[in-house]
Amino acid sequence: MEEFNWELFKADQSEFEEELTRSAFENTYLILTGKATYENILDKQSMQPGSIDQHIEAAVLFNPFSKDYNPTFPHLHNEVSRIELIDCMIEYYTETEEYEKCSELVKIKNK
């Protein structure tokens, strides 16, 4: 019997975590800039229109199920402040050299 390859498992897990992180930043960016709503993202991922409870989950950097969630200002319902969230996103997009996104986030931050 072959032994389980823990190194391959750890590599797959790390890759999954990176993809999940990227997805959370991208989805949050789209919502904050008004390019998508949480519902649009869910529809796109699940490929089925309908109520939110029928969708596959989508990674975001805020809690879309908060009682006071407002799709126009999702970042206001995060456990961290609005400024901290946007600063974190700017730092992430600086590291990935996506400066256009940084610029848009700075404009949102300054509003």
Side-chain angles (χ1 to χ4, degrees):
M1 182 174 190
E2 228 178 287
E3 279 191 44
F4 186 76
N5 186 338
W6 284 103
E7 294 304 315
L8 184 59
F9 174 76
K10 289 178 186 176
D12 287 346
Q13 188 176 19
S14 176
E15 186 176 312
F16 173 76
E17 289 172 3
E18 287 177 26
E19 288 178 27
L20 186 61
T21 299
R22 177 75 183 169
S23 179
F25 276 94
E26 284 298 307
N27 291 338
T28 303
Y29 168 80
L30 291 171
I31 293 167
L32 289 179
T33 57
K35 296 178 181 178
T37 65
Y38 186 65
E39 289 77 16
N40 295 135
I41 291 168
L42 290 175
D43 282 343
K44 183 178 178 183
Q45 285 193 354
S46 67
M47 300 302 285
Q48 74 176 31
S51 66
I52 288 177
D53 61 344
Q54 296 175 355
H55 293 286
I56 298 170
E57 295 294 322
V60 289
L61 300 175
F62 59 90
N63 181 2
F65 299 107
S66 174
K67 291 178 187 175
D68 58 350
Y69 170 69
N70 178 341
T72 308
F73 305 104
H75 52 280
L76 298 179
H77 308 289
N78 198 1
E79 293 169 358
V80 296
S81 77
R82 170 182 178 265
I83 301 298
E84 286 177 277
L85 174 64
I86 294 174
D87 284 343
C88 177
M89 293 179 71
I90 291 169
E91 183 178 324
Y92 176 82
Y93 286 121
T94 300
E95 289 175 10
T96 60
E97 298 181 1
E98 297 175 75
Y99 303 115
E100 301 83 18
K101 291 179 181 178
C102 292
S103 174
E104 286 186 71
L105 290 167
V106 168
K107 289 176 187 175
I108 292 170
K109 179 181 169 182
N110 292 334
K111 283 185 181 179

